[in-house]
Amino acid sequence: MKRWVAVVIAALVLVPLVASVGVAQAPKIGLILATGGLGDRSFNDQSFKGADDAAAVIAAQYGVTVEDVLDYVEPADIAEYEGFQLQFADSGEYAIIVCIGFDQAAPLEIVAPQYPDQKFVIVDMVVIGDNVASVVTNDWEEAFLCGVVAGMMTETNVVGFEGGMEIPLIIGFMNGYTQGAQWANPDVDVLVRYVGEWANPTLGAELAREMYNAGADIIYGAAGKSHLGVFAAAEENDGWYALGTDVDQAATAPEHADVIIASGLKRVDLAVESEIMKMVNGTWAAGIFSYGILTDFGFGTGIAVGNLDVNQYITKSESEVEVPCEVILKLIEAANGIADGTIVIEP
Amino acid sequence: MLKRSTLLREMGITLLSITLAFGIGAFIIWAAGFSVSAVFINLWKGAFGGKLAIGQTLTKATPIIFTSLSFLIAFRCGLFNIGAEGQMYIGAMVAAVVGAHLHLPIVLHVVACLAAGGLAGAFWGWIPGYLKAQRGVNEFVSTMMLSYVAIGFSDYLVAPRGPLHDDKYWANQTVRIAATAALPRILKPTQVSMALAVAIFFALLVWYYLFRTPAGYELRSVGLSPPAAEYGGIRIKRKLILALSLAGLLAGLAGSGEVLGTHFRFIGRFSPGYGWDGIAGGLIARAHPIGAIFAALLMGALRAGGMQVQRSGAAPGDIAAVLQGLVIFFIIAPTLVRTLIRWRRR
Amino acid sequence: MPEFAVEMRGIVKRFPGVVANDGIDFALQRGEIHGLLGENGAGKTVLMSVLYGLYRPNAGEIFINGTPHKHYSPATAIGLGIGMVHQHFMLVPRLTVAENIMLGQEPTKSGVLLDRDAAVQRIEEFSRQYGLPIDPNARVNQLPVGAQQRVEIIKALYRGADTLILDEPTSVLTEQEVEHLKAALMKLKEEGKSTVLITHKLREAIGMCDRITVLRKGTVVGTVNANETDERELAEMMVGRDVVFTVRRSQATGEPEIALQAKDIEACDDRGLLTLKGVSFDLRKYEILGIAGVQGNGQAELAEVLTGLRPLRSGSISLDGLNLTGKTARDFIAAGISHIPADRQLRGLVMNFSLRENAILGQHRVRPFTLSRFWQSQRAITNHTRRIIEAFGVQAPNTTTLAQNLSGGNQQRLIVGREFSKEPCVIIASQPTRGLDVGGIEYVREQLLKMRDQGAAVLLISMDLDEILMVSDRIAVMYDGQIVAIKDPEETNRRELGELMLSGSPSHAAGYKS
């Protein structure tokens, strides 16, 4: 009986000890998602996947669970960013803190200098600092590839673009898309609408319907959750199609796989994972890092289309829309052109 | 003024309410499959466990002190100011404009920003006050509706094509205010700024106004008994307008404080509902200005603790929000607790 | 059957800071009308509330029909045959008489539908049986106060009351209505019902009751047979000292210049109906002008018009040549007009304010209480409050007590103290002694005379004709929004005034045919 008690006590004392030893060694990742949180089937979910993938590698390496390595928060509004950034940084527990979304830049500019030894990563915006790595992507490249698909597949020679807001980031998407469409089909016209909100699918659908009725048969866009409205509108009529953004939305929104021909890819997951692994490998550095086809990394943008992985830019999609072979060939030509500089996109 | 015995009883009931709320909260956390102890430990750690935690609590409490004062000063005059949220946005916006585009020496610039933000909020409170006094429009509805107008208008101003949008960032926000306009941070690296001191100063000022000046006396008379106030030669309509204007002023200061001390700019939709928290804060404080400080601290602690609960992974942020809701509910419904006590004695 | 319908032994009821009942023995014989007499705050209402189950006593025993009962609620009390008619009626104004009586006791047809006809029939039976005329289908808010009281009594009887408690039933009634009530109580007595009549009016207690128990400061002074006592003895028992029972009117000494002048005043009531129909009078210094009239003939509106609380439709008001027409209450106060409002709890006091705060209502903007816009002198306010408390005998633990915790009489003393200490040149006193005890009534009347002797012009509006006759220098009778006569109190009598009050002319009311 006494021995039994001793064993229990020993277990109670030792288990947390062992666990804490394990935790202390593994580098921890802090992830501050953009407002909107998980479940957007796009930006936040992708960023989380990248951090989660990196955390899995670290966890396996140190023999701990993924939960021990990755802590994340979903701020409810912009005003919460600074508080969370402070909370993560001040705890001193994290080897790296990843901030997702351009609107975290302003608070990070205040927080980062106060914690010079803390490594920060910000995605989608540039913050200058000795301890901040700013991750940006050549969004216009994915838009260009989508433009190629739209230009090739339109039957009306009119395609549409729906932006969340008329800001440089989204204008870059629009320019890439327009140039891609016209590169593949010089006769195409591009209609453009801005929702003015990132999370209003109803209004998004209304504006999409308007463009469809004006003759567009394929609509691409960059409008956050508002873009889900484009898919809903496309369902309303045969011959109306849409293109997804940043992730394979035929997979994340399978109910719309019948209207989503293809999706531009912004490989935030790869970028986030890459930054975290640079930290693990000891090669992490502050500065601005562009991810994309025409970059040092050589990855970061692409398109999900067709039913097989062609290369690191053109990957398979869950779309149910059949895409002719010549479209894929044209896309390979476009991606190679972007990579070797023969195609120059004006964002 | 409350007598000491009454005060002690009120405090006792409040504490009992909080305990009850945590009890039910614990059950919900358990039922949702999370560790009750982890949630409560992190709630405490996030609110009071260390300098940063206290800083977070104070940061969140600062605007809530103002909005609680805003609610209670109108309440003391028998009015419900539901529109502190909008008055706060108006005040914040004007403070941000004055802070960024006016060039004044240090201190003076801060005072100018606070005055401008406060007056803008006061104007936003004056409108429903005037409508109430002259046209009998229910302030409950008018303050709330004007709140939506204010928030929508601020959205427009800082949207990418809006006149106040800062083109340096893509976020919906104005440019940074001048250094001369900033309220200094007093507990670095946390976000606590002199706005906290301003808030406490105003709590004392509101107390003095309500309980030590003839104007405050008149305001309270109108709130407690309009016929007696009228009998005492008090011009009720003026008081109604004044009370809502002052409520707007205090809410406007809440927004100004956020701009000058916390964000250093106006950010679209910056408030996680501080205006609404003020209603709860004012009621928890039993409409007493000094009580508002403590009520705001409680609300701030719950918000700050909730962030820690989320970061630590003990439970999602929604669970913390549930706890906050429960605490507010139980404190504001003390009649419920009193009924329970009476029921037990039977 | 036991001799006593109710017996209460050693009842103690404490409230924070006050012992309202301090070991009271009280016995109600079957079929008697028992008067419960005492000053305000003597503990009459508290004792009966204990009996009715509203308060739980701290000590003591209660026997109802000989059976002891403890810790019961009003619902139980009603079940035991006890009914109480409160001073402030508990009726729903917008419902009809029948609906009010049925509330909580709805008879049903086949268990579901309201059987209104059965209820109306029963109410009519009660009405005839006890001589309490009432129309079951009338709306309560259209009934005069006396009729509302009958509704309350029938309601109690409808619920099976054998013992009826009436709290100050006559304070709201006219002389004629009091007579009707007396008749009804006699009828109830014949039917074997027992009645407790809470009152502080000596004459009524003697005139209506069989036995009278006198309370003073929470204890029983004694129980006497009504036909073996007189007003003087009862008054002594109540206040514990010899009372100079009637305030003697003395002749005023100063120059009776005109102070307040009202010309052709017209004004509407709250519903917008023309209620003051051209009232003109002069109010002089060194005089008390009494306004007599049956309630609802424009006296309440007159008081409000003369204090700036109600707008004029036409006509003019001036004070010492200062035109006050169209001015607000603020200006009237500034001009030196004091006002003792008829409704002290609604108008006269902020019930949730402390004594200190109430003591400066209306003067809160002026020296010495307010020295500048942002500076109040707390000491001046406290001193002023203490002076009122001492000079006017307000019974209160301290100056920070809330007004709502004072008894009605003390509330009135506070108001009178506040209004008189302003050194006003005009006093508008509306029902200043209503609901007060003997000591209080005497005191207020003396103060009114004292103010008059110091040169104040006093307008006294009262429903108590004795009061009007006792202290007025001139008596104006109001009828249907007009002053129908101004009389010298030496040359008129109750009968003449009563006729004027009821019909506006003496001959018509008397029924003479010329």
Side-chain angles (χ1 to χ4, degrees):
Chain A
M1 190 67 185
K2 265 183 191 162
R3 201 184 302 157
W4 183 79
V5 172
V7 168
V8 168
I9 289 172
L12 282 175
V13 172
L14 285 177
V15 166
L17 204 65
V18 171
S20 69
V21 167
V23 172
Q25 285 179 343
K28 284 184 74 175
I29 306 162
L31 175 66
I32 303 171
L33 293 163
T35 54
L38 293 176
D40 66 349
R41 298 172 168 187
S42 185
F43 199 49
N44 277 317
D45 286 352
Q46 278 287 91
S47 307
F48 183 79
K49 179 177 178 291
D52 201 48
D53 287 348
V57 173
I58 297 168
Q61 215 169 324
Y62 289 87
V64 294
T65 65
V66 173
E67 285 76 24
D68 291 331
V69 176
L70 175 64
D71 285 338
Y72 70 97
V73 291
E74 303 172 68
D77 49 71
I78 300 177
E80 279 191 6
Y81 284 142
E82 188 174 346
F84 274 127
Q85 288 170 4
L86 279 169
Q87 224 177 47
F88 274 100
D90 199 75
S91 71
E93 293 172 27
Y94 300 94
I96 194 162
I97 297 170
V98 184
C99 306
I100 308 299
F102 58 81
D103 39 15
Q104 295 211 41
L108 191 60
E109 281 175 350
I110 298 169
V111 174
Q114 295 179 14
Y115 297 93
D117 298 330
Q118 174 69 57
K119 295 185 179 71
F120 291 97
V121 174
I122 181 156
V123 175
D124 243 16
M125 185 71 196
V126 173
V127 170
I128 305 298
D130 295 337
N131 55 340
V132 184
S134 305
V135 169
V136 292
T137 44
N138 297 344
D139 302 314
W140 51 87
E141 294 176 350
E142 67 155 292
F144 187 94
L145 296 175
C146 286
V148 171
V149 174
M152 299 270 304
M153 291 188 67
T154 178
E155 289 178 2
T156 59
N157 276 350
V158 181
V159 297
F161 176 84
E162 185 169 296
M165 286 187 184
E166 194 175 2
I167 55 175
L169 175 78
I170 302 303
I171 294 169
F173 272 94
M174 191 269 287
N175 285 332
Y177 178 67
T178 309
Q179 289 166 39
Q182 286 170 347
W183 176 80
N185 176 0
D187 297 331
V188 80
D189 278 331
V190 182
L191 305 176
V192 179
R193 296 283 186 280
Y194 290 98
V195 184
E197 283 181 66
W198 301 109
N200 192 341
T202 315
L203 187 56
E206 214 163 286
L207 293 173
R209 217 170 283 131
E210 195 187 310
M211 287 192 279
Y212 284 128
N213 287 327
D217 56 353
I218 300 171
I219 298 178
Y220 173 62
K225 282 184 186 170
S226 304
H227 191 57
L228 296 172
V230 176
F231 305 147
E235 296 284 358
E236 291 166 9
N237 220 325
D238 282 345
W240 287 2
Y241 291 99
L243 295 164
T245 315
D246 290 354
V247 293
D248 179 14
Q249 291 191 282
T252 57
E255 68 274 23
H256 297 308
D258 57 330
V259 294
I260 301 172
I261 305 171
S263 296
L265 294 179
K266 173 178 187 165
R267 302 298 298 272
V268 180
D269 53 337
L270 293 181
V272 168
E273 188 182 353
S274 156
E275 287 299 319
I276 295 170
M277 293 320 292
K278 280 201 284 181
M279 176 273 293
V280 173
N281 301 332
T283 58
W284 188 89
I288 304 167
F289 301 96
S290 295
Y291 284 79
I293 301 172
L294 186 64
T295 63
D296 298 337
F297 297 94
F299 61 82
T301 53
I303 188 164
V305 68
N307 48 16
L308 54 123
D309 291 328
V310 177
N311 55 28
Q312 78 234 58
Y313 313 122
I314 301 160
T315 55
K316 75 178 168 87
S317 163
E318 298 294 318
S319 169
E320 293 161 12
V321 183
E322 205 171 310
V323 179
C325 197
E326 51 267 35
V327 174
I328 306 291
L329 291 174
K330 196 80 179 169
L331 281 169
I332 296 170
E333 185 190 338
N336 289 338
I338 294 167
D340 63 21
T342 52
I343 293 173
V344 178
I345 309 166
E346 300 285 338
Chain B
M1 295 282 315
L2 290 171
K3 279 193 218 160
R4 183 162 301 149
S5 59
T6 328
L7 187 70
L8 281 175
R9 205 186 58 211
E10 289 285 327
M11 281 168 62
I13 287 174
T14 303
L15 280 177
L16 191 63
S17 308
I18 295 174
T19 316
L20 207 56
F22 278 142
I24 293 176
F27 175 76
I28 292 173
I29 293 163
W30 171 79
F34 298 100
S35 157
V36 175
S37 61
V39 168
F40 280 111
I41 287 167
N42 279 296
L43 196 65
W44 173 262
K45 264 166 74 179
F48 302 108
K51 187 180 175 188
L52 181 85
I54 291 168
Q56 297 272 22
T57 296
L58 294 175
T59 304
K60 308 268 170 220
T62 303
I64 305 176
I65 294 176
F66 277 122
T67 54
S68 300
L69 293 173
S70 167
F71 178 80
L72 73 85
I73 203 164
F75 190 72
R76 285 277 181 181
C77 196
L79 297 165
F80 276 90
N81 180 27
I82 306 298
E85 187 86 358
Q87 294 150 7
M88 180 172 69
Y89 271 90
I90 292 285
M93 220 152 47
V94 171
V97 170
V98 174
H101 300 291
L102 222 63
H103 300 288
L104 289 169
I106 196 161
V107 180
L108 199 65
H109 201 170
V110 171
V111 173
C113 289
L114 287 174
L119 286 176
F123 172 69
W124 218 246
W126 176 85
I127 300 170
Y130 179 83
L131 292 173
K132 169 87 180 178
Q134 301 300 333
R135 295 273 177 276
V137 176
N138 184 337
E139 81 283 2
F140 207 99
V141 176
S142 59
T143 53
M144 188 158 70
M145 289 303 150
L146 278 170
S147 195
Y148 293 130
V149 172
I151 297 169
F153 182 58
S154 76
D155 280 346
Y156 154 74
L157 288 178
V158 295
R161 281 189 291 182
L164 297 179
H165 182 252
D166 177 10
D167 293 331
K168 193 179 155 209
Y169 299 98
W170 294 326
N172 291 359
Q173 55 191 29
T174 63
V175 296
R176 201 182 156 100
I177 55 168
T180 46
L183 280 164
R185 296 232 165 141
I186 54 177
L187 195 71
K188 281 181 176 171
T190 73
Q191 294 169 276
V192 183
S193 72
M194 284 297 288
L196 175 65
V198 178
I200 292 172
F201 172 73
F202 267 90
L204 296 171
L205 205 62
V206 169
W207 175 83
Y208 184 86
Y209 176 81
L210 282 175
F211 297 108
R212 288 290 181 273
T213 69
Y217 174 93
E218 295 194 338
L219 193 146
R220 287 185 297 125
S221 313
V222 173
L224 289 172
S225 172
E230 189 187 17
Y231 161 85
I234 295 162
R235 288 174 284 200
I236 293 175
K237 288 181 176 180
R238 287 186 182 208
K239 287 288 143 188
L240 296 177
I241 298 174
L242 179 72
L244 277 175
S245 301
L246 288 174
L249 178 102
L250 289 160
L253 286 172
S256 309
E258 285 295 282
V259 165
L260 304 180
T262 310
H263 303 306
F264 303 119
R265 53 162 51 86
F266 178 87
I267 303 177
R269 306 274 171 156
F270 70 90
S271 162
Y274 293 138
W276 304 104
D277 286 358
I279 298 172
L283 290 171
I284 290 173
R286 304 279 187 272
H288 197 282
I290 308 303
I293 298 175
F294 295 100
L297 279 176
L298 174 70
M299 313 268 292
L302 284 167
R303 279 196 178 274
M307 283 170 69
Q308 164 78 13
V309 168
Q310 202 189 142
R311 182 182 71 78
S312 68
D318 304 336
I319 290 289
V322 167
L323 266 180
Q324 189 182 7
L326 282 170
V327 170
I328 293 166
F329 173 79
F330 274 97
I331 296 179
I332 299 177
T335 34
L336 183 69
V337 179
R338 291 207 184 93
T339 315
L340 285 175
I341 291 170
R342 213 172 304 146
W343 176 74
R344 268 237 22 210
R345 282 192 193 149
R346 284 209 165 205
Chain C
M1 258 212 166
E3 180 194 359
F4 295 117
V6 167
E7 202 182 351
M8 302 174 84
R9 287 188 203 145
I11 299 295
V12 177
K13 180 62 196 170
R14 292 186 206 96
F15 292 104
V18 187
V19 184
N21 287 172
D22 193 1
I24 290 185
D25 297 325
F26 174 80
L28 177 65
Q29 281 170 4
R30 196 164 301 285
E32 74 166 341
I33 300 175
H34 196 132
L36 200 53
L37 197 64
E39 290 196 282
N40 285 99
K44 313 180 292 275
T45 303
V46 171
L47 182 70
M48 286 302 110
S49 298
V50 166
L51 176 60
Y52 191 55
L54 284 170
Y55 294 134
R56 190 175 302 167
N58 298 96
E61 296 169 301
I62 301 168
F63 299 87
I64 297 170
N65 293 324
T67 337
H69 288 280
K70 250 187 177 178
H71 292 189
Y72 58 88
S73 66
T76 316
I78 291 168
L80 293 168
I82 293 175
M84 186 159 178
V85 176
H86 298 270
Q87 201 171 356
H88 300 283
F89 301 148
M90 313 272 177
L91 298 172
V92 185
R94 301 189 71 88
L95 295 184
T96 66
V97 169
E99 284 163 342
N100 265 290
I101 292 172
M102 284 156 67
L103 268 183
Q105 294 270 316
E106 297 89 347
T108 52
K109 273 182 196 160
S110 62
V112 185
L113 295 168
L114 276 182
D115 194 348
R116 182 186 301 266
D117 294 341
V120 167
Q121 217 172 352
R122 271 190 75 190
I123 291 164
E124 279 170 344
E125 277 168 28
F126 277 116
S127 178
R128 265 195 306 277
Q129 189 181 353
Y130 298 109
L132 295 161
I134 201 78
D135 172 9
N137 296 313
R139 267 185 210 292
V140 163
N141 57 4
Q142 291 167 339
L143 294 178
V145 182
Q148 292 187 23
Q149 188 174 60
R150 292 199 288 276
V151 177
E152 284 278 19
I153 294 173
I154 291 181
K155 192 166 114 187
L157 295 172
Y158 188 93
R159 293 177 175 188
D162 291 321
T163 300
L164 207 56
I165 305 164
L166 303 176
D167 191 0
E168 303 278 3
T170 61
S171 62
V172 292
L173 300 185
T174 61
E175 299 253 340
Q176 279 75 7
E177 285 172 329
V178 171
E179 287 306 311
H180 287 139
L181 176 68
K182 187 177 172 182
L185 291 182
M186 292 304 164
K187 204 77 173 264
L188 285 169
K189 185 182 164 183
E190 284 168 25
E191 302 279 336
K193 309 270 182 195
S194 325
T195 306
V196 180
L197 192 73
I198 302 176
T199 184
H200 54 254
K201 291 187 182 164
L202 308 178
R203 191 141 55 94
E204 274 167 22
I206 292 172
M208 292 168 115
C209 301
D210 302 314
R211 294 196 303 154
I212 299 164
T213 295
V214 181
L215 297 187
R216 186 167 78 223
K217 288 181 180 164
T219 57
V220 175
V221 182
T223 301
V224 293
N225 288 326
N227 52 17
E228 293 165 8
T229 186
D230 59 20
E231 292 184 34
R232 189 160 294 272
E233 185 195 15
L234 286 176
E236 270 181 40
M237 288 171 77
M238 268 171 76
V239 297
R241 63 191 150 88
D242 263 324
V243 186
V244 182
F245 196 57
T246 45
V247 177
R248 284 300 343 148
R249 192 154 37 84
S250 57
Q251 214 52 47
T253 49
E255 185 66 37
E257 304 165 42
I258 294 174
L260 188 75
Q261 204 165 25
K263 272 191 194 150
D264 303 321
I265 293 175
E266 287 192 356
C268 299
D269 64 8
D270 290 335
R271 292 167 299 173
L273 302 175
L274 190 63
T275 309
L276 289 181
K277 302 170 180 171
V279 173
S280 301
F281 63 88
D282 296 333
L283 182 60
R284 300 198 176 89
K285 292 174 184 170
Y286 298 99
E287 81 157 352
I288 294 178
L289 174 61
I291 303 273
V294 177
Q295 200 171 19
N297 277 282
Q299 304 98 308
E301 286 78 10
L302 180 64
E304 290 182 345
V305 158
L306 294 177
T307 49
L309 291 168
R310 184 174 290 277
L312 283 179
R313 209 178 79 154
S314 66
S316 68
I317 301 169
S318 64
L319 173 61
D320 279 338
L322 174 72
N323 188 2
L324 286 171
T325 313
K327 295 290 171 61
T328 63
R330 201 183 174 99
D331 304 307
F332 279 74
I333 293 169
I337 297 181
S338 266
H339 180 198
I340 299 171
D343 193 333
R344 56 178 168 251
Q345 301 196 336
L346 189 70
R347 279 250 193 237
L349 296 170
V350 179
M351 297 304 278
N352 277 306
F353 263 4
S354 66
L355 263 59
R356 302 175 73 244
E357 289 167 315
N358 272 302
I360 59 167
L361 185 63
Q363 294 164 280
H364 53 273
R365 249 176 277 96
V366 299
R367 283 174 178 275
F369 311 122
T370 290
L371 303 172
S372 80
R373 275 187 82 163
F374 300 106
W375 189 254
Q376 266 186 337
S377 168
Q378 300 305 315
R379 186 187 296 171
I381 295 171
T382 305
N383 289 343
H384 177 65
T385 312
R386 290 222 178 95
R387 270 199 303 276
I388 290 179
I389 288 177
E390 278 163 31
F392 293 83
V394 182
Q395 305 271 325
N398 55 52
T399 58
T400 56
T401 309
L402 295 185
Q404 64 178 5
N405 293 336
L406 296 186
S407 70
N410 282 315
Q411 288 171 354
Q412 188 72 351
R413 281 170 187 259
L414 178 63
I415 294 173
V416 170
R418 176 184 71 207
E419 295 306 310
F420 287 4
S421 62
K422 287 181 190 173
E423 296 173 7
C425 54
V426 173
I427 296 167
I428 309 293
S430 227
Q431 319 291 358
T433 60
R434 179 159 67 183
L436 295 195
D437 52 60
V438 173
I441 290 171
E442 175 198 8
Y443 184 79
V444 170
R445 287 176 185 166
E446 269 174 6
Q447 291 297 318
L448 280 172
L449 286 166
K450 197 171 125 197
M451 293 307 288
R452 179 202 71 167
D453 292 341
Q454 289 170 5
V458 181
L459 188 81
L460 171 66
I461 297 173
S462 178
M463 295 211 326
D464 186 338
L465 209 46
D466 290 333
E467 177 166 282
I468 295 274
L469 281 162
M470 208 178 289
V471 299
S472 304
D473 297 297
R474 288 191 296 154
I475 297 172
V477 181
M478 275 195 87
Y479 177 76
D480 193 25
Q482 285 176 315
I483 290 180
V484 291
I486 294 187
K487 296 280 177 188
D488 183 332
E490 305 295 341
E491 293 164 11
T492 186
N493 53 43
R494 295 177 59 90
R495 184 188 168 83
E496 185 191 22
L497 290 174
E499 285 164 355
L500 282 165
M501 282 160 62
L502 284 169
S503 65
S505 68
S507 56
H508 179 257
Y512 296 146
K513 285 180 181 149
S514 50

